[in-house]
């Protein structure tokens, strides 16, 4: 306990004495962890978005204006036969489509009224089973529907979601790679900063060794100094990231209703944030440890 | 106390700093180690502080073979040995008091006994009135007295001094030597390396003379 108190006192005193260099180490750790966790925040938010879109994944089957009664029934039967993929289907007539448009976009309602004829096609709105949202069954169904007579278009947003999902993966990968490189750089910086503190006190260390001080008293303060730098750096990174999230949240660029709601941008999960702090302290600890053992 | 049997120390493959050294120093002895520059005086003291180990032979202190100590045993051994160097090796950013208290502090001593003992040794070297000064504000003789106080704080059984008066004028040198004599008078074994023959003549003790790593005189 006394040894720990000693290490804490010495480490904080040393941090303060070398505050310029310490700040440098803290900043490099902060930058490394900011980049790493920044990419994680972006990718996790993308994933959340993708998950929401996935849940809402729908297949829209647009019908020709001149579709016959039989053709419409056969389209309906195709959907009925595929009930392994289709959770629910709803027929939307041209009039229903216009009404829905007016409801969703009240500003444009008068414009729509001014049109000579109803431009909206009738459609089947198909809700897919969640279990199938990831495989290619919906895509096959869409292809089949496109071949069916009376169908003018099938809209299925899978590809888009998949592309976004690979962007999220890339984002995470970049975070790991860039973050990894920067973390390595941070370890090097902490090592040299702590080593600097160590050289500044080599007479002291020599005397400690000669009077038979325990290793913990000799190396402990330096390891702790690195650990403190790491913890402070991680705290700084999280604070910066938190402000960045707040800035994004306050922005007014809400793209179409419910599509991407920036005000709901999520921060790191608490466990992940704790991991970042622990990681930062570990980075500093490793740097301090390397510095404390090399010059002997 | 100290028992060297055929001790040899080589720094490089060919250069013998000490060659086949055999000697005994009794408990409570006051020994001068002398000889020309490069004779191996500092090397012998470094072996005694267990900063180095012999390449050949055995060096025992108080029955312990210094070559066969674990890290922890080295620490324990060093706690019983006080050392004083020619350049004092005080920490400039610490006051006199802090320099001395530094030793028990890093050995994990409690602060109350540590304070008491620090004042005691400070008083003993006659520097209690300078306890808040920094080393660079002191004269050479005063600095060396601080270093001696620091060496004494653990009640060592053995005190090693490498040219402790090398930076001091003759009067101060004698004063410092008198401190060592007092330490010795309380039963502590003292080994002082010096090439100051005049000082040895004045103090007149057991003197071991080295040359080229060998003993040339032991009287
Ligand atoms: N660290 C070292 N590396 C290599 N050689 C060394 C080292 N220390 C001492 N020596 C050599 O060992 C020999 C003995 O040196 P030592 O310092 O023990 O002599 P000394 O008697 O203390 O001399 P002085 O009176 O000048 O202090 C010398 O030849 C010296 O060059
Ligand atoms: Mg010497």
């Amino acid at each position: 306990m006394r040894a720990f108190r000693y290490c804490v006192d010495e480490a904080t005193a040393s941090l303060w004495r070398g505050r310029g260099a310490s700040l440098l180490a803290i900043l490099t750790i902060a930058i490394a962890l900011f980049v790493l966790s920044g990419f994680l925040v972006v990718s996790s938010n993308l994933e959340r978005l993708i998950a929401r879109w996935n849940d809402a994944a729908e297949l829209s089957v647009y019908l020709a204006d001149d579709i016959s009664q039989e053709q419409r029934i056969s389209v309906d039967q195709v959907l009925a036969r595929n009930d392994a993929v289709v959770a629910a289907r709803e027929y939307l007539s041209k009039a229903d489509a216009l009404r829905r448009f007016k409801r969703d976009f009240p500003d444009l309602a008068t414009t729509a009224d001014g049109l000579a004829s109803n431009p909206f096609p009738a459609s089947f709105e198909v809700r897919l089973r969640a279990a199938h949202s990831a495989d290619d069954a919906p895509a096959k169904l869409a292809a089949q529907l496109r071949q069916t007579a009376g169908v003018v278009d099938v809209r299925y947003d899978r590809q888009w979601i998949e592309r976004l999902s690979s962007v999220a993966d890339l984002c995470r990968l970049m975070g790991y790679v860039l973050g990894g490189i920067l973390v390595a750089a941070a370890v090097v910086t902490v090592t040299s900063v702590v080593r600097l503190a160590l050289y500044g006190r080599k007479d002291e260390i020599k005397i400690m060794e000669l009077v038979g001080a325990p290793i913990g008293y000799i190396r402990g303060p330096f390891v702790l100094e690195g650990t403190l730098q790491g913890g402070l750096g991680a705290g700084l990174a999280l604070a910066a990231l938190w402000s960045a999230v707040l800035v994004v949240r306050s922005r007014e660029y809400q793209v179409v209703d419910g599509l991407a709601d920036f005000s709901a941008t999520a921060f790191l999960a608490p466990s992940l944030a704790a991991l970042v702090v622990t990681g930062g302290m570990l980075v500093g600890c490793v740097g301090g440890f390397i510095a404390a053992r090399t010059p002997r | 106390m100290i028992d060297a049997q055929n001790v040899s120390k080589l720094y490089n493959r060919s250069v013998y700093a000490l060659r086949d050294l055999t000697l005994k120093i009794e408990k409570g002895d006051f020994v001068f180690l002398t000889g020309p520059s490069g004779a191996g005086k500092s090397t012998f003291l470094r072996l005694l502080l267990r900063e180095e180990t012999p390449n050949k032979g055995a060096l025992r202190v108080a029955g312990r073979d210094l070559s066969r100590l674990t890290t922890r045993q080295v620490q324990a051994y060093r706690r019983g040995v006080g050392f004083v160097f020619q350049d004092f090796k005080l920490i400039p950013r610490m006051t006199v008091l802090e320099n001395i208290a530094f030793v028990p502090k890093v050995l994990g001593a409690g602060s109350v006994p540590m304070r008491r003992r620090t004042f005691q040794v400070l008083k003993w070297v006659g520097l209690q009135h300078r306890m808040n000064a920094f080393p660079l504000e002191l004269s050479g003789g005063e600095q060396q007295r601080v270093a001696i106080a620091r060496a004494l704080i653990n009640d060592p059984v053995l005190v090693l001094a490498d040219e402790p008066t090398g930076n001091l004028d003759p009067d101060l040198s004698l004063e410092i030597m008198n401190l060592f004599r007092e330490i010795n008078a309380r039963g502590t074994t003292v080994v002082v390396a010096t090439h100051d023959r005049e000082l040895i003549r004045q103090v007149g003790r057991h003197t071991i003379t080295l040359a080229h790593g060998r003993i040339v005189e032991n009287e």
Side-chain angles (χ1 to χ4, degrees):
Chain A
M1 203 55 228
R2 197 174 284 150
F4 188 70
R5 268 272 309 281
Y6 171 82
C7 291
V8 171
D9 288 354
E10 288 301 308
T12 45
S14 177
L15 264 185
W16 184 244
R17 253 199 313 274
R19 50 192 171 273
S22 301
L23 199 66
L24 184 75
I26 291 169
L27 281 179
T28 52
I29 291 174
I31 290 168
L33 293 177
F34 179 80
V35 168
L36 180 63
S37 45
F39 275 102
L40 289 184
V41 163
V42 170
S43 68
S44 72
N45 274 294
L46 276 180
E47 264 157 22
R48 219 168 38 90
L49 211 61
I50 291 163
R52 264 219 347 253
W53 286 348
N54 247 337
D55 284 349
E58 281 190 12
L59 201 76
S60 299
V61 185
Y62 296 104
L63 303 176
D65 283 354
D66 58 355
I67 190 168
S68 69
Q69 182 75 8
E70 294 81 51
Q71 282 173 329
R72 212 186 80 198
I73 290 171
S74 71
V75 171
D76 190 50
Q77 276 167 350
V78 169
L79 294 172
R81 273 199 304 277
N82 281 285
D83 64 345
V85 183
V86 174
R89 63 186 189 279
E90 185 195 354
Y91 176 68
L92 215 65
S93 71
K94 285 176 70 70
D96 292 336
L98 181 63
R99 223 172 294 129
R100 187 188 273 193
F101 176 79
K102 284 181 177 169
R103 189 198 67 204
D104 288 350
F105 303 96
D107 298 346
L108 299 174
T110 46
T111 323
D113 282 340
L115 292 170
S117 64
N118 179 357
F120 296 99
S123 64
F124 278 102
E125 293 299 316
V126 179
R127 191 152 267 289
L128 298 170
R129 291 192 192 279
H132 280 289
S133 56
D135 62 29
D136 59 355
K140 276 190 187 141
L141 176 61
Q144 190 190 346
L145 285 165
R146 273 192 200 102
Q147 306 297 317
T148 311
V151 173
V152 286
D153 193 16
V154 178
R155 214 198 62 208
Y156 176 55
D157 290 337
R158 258 335 285 180
Q159 270 183 335
W160 217 76
I161 291 179
E162 265 157 18
R163 210 164 292 155
L164 203 64
S165 166
S166 60
V167 167
D169 287 347
L170 187 71
C171 208
R172 194 198 317 267
L173 187 71
M174 263 169 72
Y176 286 147
V177 171
L178 258 171
I181 293 170
L182 290 173
V183 162
V187 170
V188 173
T189 312
V190 173
T191 304
S192 21
V193 167
V194 172
R195 194 172 291 159
L196 206 67
L198 206 117
Y199 278 140
R201 295 167 65 192
K202 52 175 201 303
D203 291 351
E204 234 170 290
I205 291 168
K206 184 80 199 152
I207 288 164
M208 287 171 89
E209 285 175 351
L210 291 184
V211 299
I215 301 281
Y217 274 80
I218 300 175
R219 290 187 192 168
F222 298 104
V223 175
L224 201 69
E225 186 177 339
T227 309
L228 283 176
Q229 287 172 357
L232 289 171
L236 201 63
L238 290 183
L241 198 61
W242 176 242
S243 349
V245 166
L246 287 185
V247 166
V248 170
R249 274 188 197 171
S250 70
R251 284 301 161 101
E252 288 291 330
Y253 38 58
Q254 298 212 346
V255 192
V256 189
D257 225 15
L259 198 63
D261 185 0
F262 282 95
S263 72
T265 305
F267 190 54
L268 289 178
S271 58
L272 211 54
L275 201 68
V276 168
V277 173
T278 317
M281 292 174 81
L282 200 70
V283 166
C285 181
V286 167
F289 192 78
I290 295 173
R293 59 174 300 148
T294 34
R296 291 163 61 83
Chain B
M1 185 78 203
I2 299 170
D3 181 10
Q5 290 291 330
N6 308 99
V7 167
S8 292
K9 177 69 192 174
L10 297 92
Y11 282 109
N12 305 315
R13 261 168 223 290
S14 50
V15 187
Y16 277 91
L18 290 174
R19 190 154 202 166
D20 209 18
L21 196 80
T22 297
L23 63 82
K24 267 196 168 68
I25 295 173
E26 298 303 328
K27 189 170 188 317
D29 237 358
F30 188 119
V31 180
F32 278 117
L33 212 53
T34 188
S37 184
K41 307 181 290 291
S42 297
T43 300
F44 188 59
L45 292 183
R46 275 204 289 277
L47 291 178
L48 285 174
L49 245 181
R50 186 43 178 79
E51 276 190 271
E52 308 272 0
T53 48
N55 297 85
K56 276 183 225 136
L59 181 60
R60 295 172 178 282
V61 179
R64 279 183 279 207
D65 185 339
L66 297 193
S67 300
R68 303 186 177 190
L69 300 180
T70 62
T71 308
R72 264 171 199 283
Q73 286 170 328
V74 169
Q75 288 162 7
Y77 166 71
R78 284 179 177 169
R79 279 172 217 155
V81 180
F83 56 86
V84 176
F85 297 100
Q86 175 172 359
D87 59 357
F88 323 131
K89 290 213 182 343
L90 300 175
I91 300 159
R93 64 177 176 81
M94 293 184 187
T95 64
V96 166
L97 193 74
E98 287 165 347
N99 260 284
I100 298 169
F102 178 66
V103 175
K105 191 166 140 198
V106 300
L107 295 179
S111 59
V112 175
M114 171 173 104
R115 288 221 130 223
R116 194 176 326 119
R117 180 73 185 138
T118 303
F119 283 122
Q120 207 177 0
V121 290
L122 206 51
K123 202 164 146 197
W124 193 77
V125 297
L127 278 176
Q128 67 272 47
H129 61 290
R130 300 291 277 148
M131 67 182 192
N132 291 320
F134 287 91
L136 295 178
E137 300 165 1
L138 302 180
S139 72
E142 286 171 331
Q143 288 185 58
Q144 195 58 297
R145 271 146 68 193
V146 176
I148 291 170
R150 182 178 63 187
L152 292 182
I153 194 155
N154 271 334
D155 263 327
V157 291
L158 174 64
V159 169
L160 307 172
D162 195 355
E163 310 276 3
T165 60
N167 287 352
L168 307 178
D169 63 45
D171 284 352
L172 276 178
S173 297
L174 202 57
E175 194 184 296
I176 294 294
M177 273 313 145
N178 285 334
L179 276 179
F180 283 117
R181 275 207 287 212
E182 276 183 60
I183 297 167
N184 177 244
R186 298 140 141 229
T188 303
T189 310
V190 177
V191 180
V192 178
T194 180
H195 48 230
D196 190 342
R197 296 223 142 252
E198 180 56 24
L199 194 68
I200 296 173
R201 201 188 51 74
Q202 282 174 317
V203 180
R205 295 292 173 118
H206 181 176
T207 304
I208 297 169
T209 309
L210 300 178
H212 304 296
R214 297 174 192 269
I215 297 177
V216 293
E217 224 180 291
N218 190 347
E219 60 186 37

